[in-house]
Amino acid sequence: MRGARIAAVLLALVWAAGAAAEPLKVVATFSILGDLVRQVGGDRVSVAVLVGPNGDAHSFVPSPGDARTLAGARLVVVNGLGFEGWIDRLVKASGTKAPVVVASAGVTPIEEEEGHDHAGHGHGAHALDPHAWQSVANAKRYVATIRDGLIGVDPEGRAAYESRASAYLAGLDALDAEVRRTIAGIPEARRRVITTHDAFGYFARAYGLRFIAPQGVSSQSEATARDVARIVRQVKRDRIPAVFLENVADPRLMLQIARESGAKAGGRIFSDALSEPGGPAPTYLDMMRNNLREFSAALAG
Ligand code: ZN
């Protein structure tokens, strides 16, 4: 009799533990968003990321496995602003009933220049620049939107999500101050860099570092000798102190431009994707600090 009671108690405990340990399945479209969801969700969530570390969401082609991942999700978090051109079809094909949260809702979008060819995937005229997370103020909006989305599907977790989000938001405030301090320490005339793909518009607007994308070259097509010569002239003419490599783009072009123009080749910066867990940018905070370190190392007087 006593044994049966103990067994029943044990069973109840196992059941309770099982129920508590069953995390909410959330799908985030790319690695940076995945990190933000993990920061807010903690161990209440299990996050699947469609475009993983060092992946390029612009040119991503979803697989049937991605549709299955979406079908099993309780919440889907996307960037929006046209970043995931493939997401609407994928959501539809998956048949998922999960709410889709647009993390960038509420940010003030930057309109891309007319005819600007983003990473070789021309968004056409008047497209919006999707890289809103590169401003920390925008990342704070992402976090608030993610927090509210999680509470929407898991109201029992409200207190946990609110407290994790507010701790993380405080960390973002500290990061924002650090970015401003560091950029302020770079001589104004040297606050200009050239990057392989035009992903830092929001960073530029928020922090006053000028980013110049190589004119007329996309990361998808081979740059001709003439393209390279034109960029080298541009770098010299505008006295751009450093060129940067991005984790999602082909580094050869930038290295060649640095060599021929005499500009410094900056280290690797992360624009659209995090690094692998052991790398220099496994989280959003690490990514922003990595980029900041690289900018200031290459631009300091
Ligand atoms: Zn991009």
Side-chain angles (χ1 to χ4, degrees):
M1 203 52 211
R2 198 159 160 243
R5 243 171 66 199
I6 289 169
V9 167
L10 279 176
L11 201 68
L13 282 175
V14 166
W15 181 84
E22 183 64 57
L24 186 80
K25 284 185 179 158
V26 183
V27 172
T29 48
F30 69 115
S31 54
I32 294 168
L33 220 43
D35 174 54
L36 298 181
V37 175
R38 281 188 198 102
Q39 300 299 336
V40 179
D43 52 16
R44 289 191 75 87
V45 302
S46 92
V47 183
V49 163
L50 298 180
V51 183
N54 298 314
D56 184 354
H58 297 291
S59 57
F60 179 68
V61 180
S63 69
D66 294 321
R68 283 194 293 277
T69 304
L70 274 190
R74 294 274 314 281
L75 184 71
V76 179
V77 183
V78 308
N79 182 71
L81 300 174
F83 186 57
E84 308 98 334
W86 36 269
I87 190 67
D88 290 348
R89 271 182 64 189
L90 181 62
V91 164
K92 207 166 166 207
S94 74
T96 185
K97 298 285 179 288
V100 176
V101 165
V102 179
S104 67
V107 313
T108 305
I110 295 178
E111 217 166 272
E112 289 187 323
E113 287 159 44
E114 197 160 339
H116 173 74
D117 187 28
H118 180 84
H121 299 265
H123 293 165
H126 306 301
L128 300 175
D129 180 345
H131 309 88
W133 60 86
Q134 288 291 344
S135 135
V136 179
N138 287 344
K140 288 178 67 182
R141 287 189 175 272
Y142 279 42
V143 166
T145 303
I146 289 167
R147 175 199 61 207
D148 295 347
L150 288 170
I151 292 170
V153 292
D154 178 23
E156 282 176 26
R158 173 184 284 274
Y161 297 136
E162 283 177 345
S163 106
R164 290 190 66 94
S166 81
Y168 188 67
L169 287 168
L172 290 178
D173 281 333
L175 172 66
D176 190 64
E178 196 179 323
V179 176
R180 288 174 196 286
R181 222 171 26 241
T182 306
I183 302 293
I186 298 169
E188 207 175 332
R190 292 182 63 84
R191 287 180 205 158
R192 42 174 69 196
V193 297
I194 202 159
T195 60
T196 34
H197 110 270
D198 208 357
F200 293 92
Y202 292 89
F203 190 96
R205 184 171 283 191
Y207 305 114
L209 193 60
R210 261 189 78 201
F211 291 82
I212 296 139
Q215 287 160 6
V217 178
S218 81
S219 62
Q220 306 292 308
S221 64
E222 288 287 307
T224 64
R226 189 190 288 177
D227 291 333
V228 172
R230 192 175 53 227
I231 297 162
V232 167
R233 276 200 307 276
Q234 186 190 351
V235 169
K236 286 179 172 168
R237 184 191 65 219
D238 297 342
R239 296 205 202 92
I240 297 166
V243 299
F244 281 90
L245 312 173
E246 283 166 59
N247 62 328
V248 299
D250 185 337
R252 287 171 299 187
L253 174 66
M254 283 288 111
L255 288 172
Q256 188 185 354
I257 291 165
R259 213 164 42 232
E260 294 184 14
S261 67
K264 219 182 273 182
R268 198 156 54 118
I269 53 172
F270 294 79
S271 58
D272 292 21
L274 300 175
S275 70
E276 298 287 349
T283 67
Y284 176 78
L285 290 175
D286 292 328
M287 174 186 86
M288 296 300 283
R289 291 202 165 100
N290 172 84
N291 293 353
L292 196 57
R293 244 189 335 267
E294 297 296 352
F295 293 145
S296 74
L299 299 175

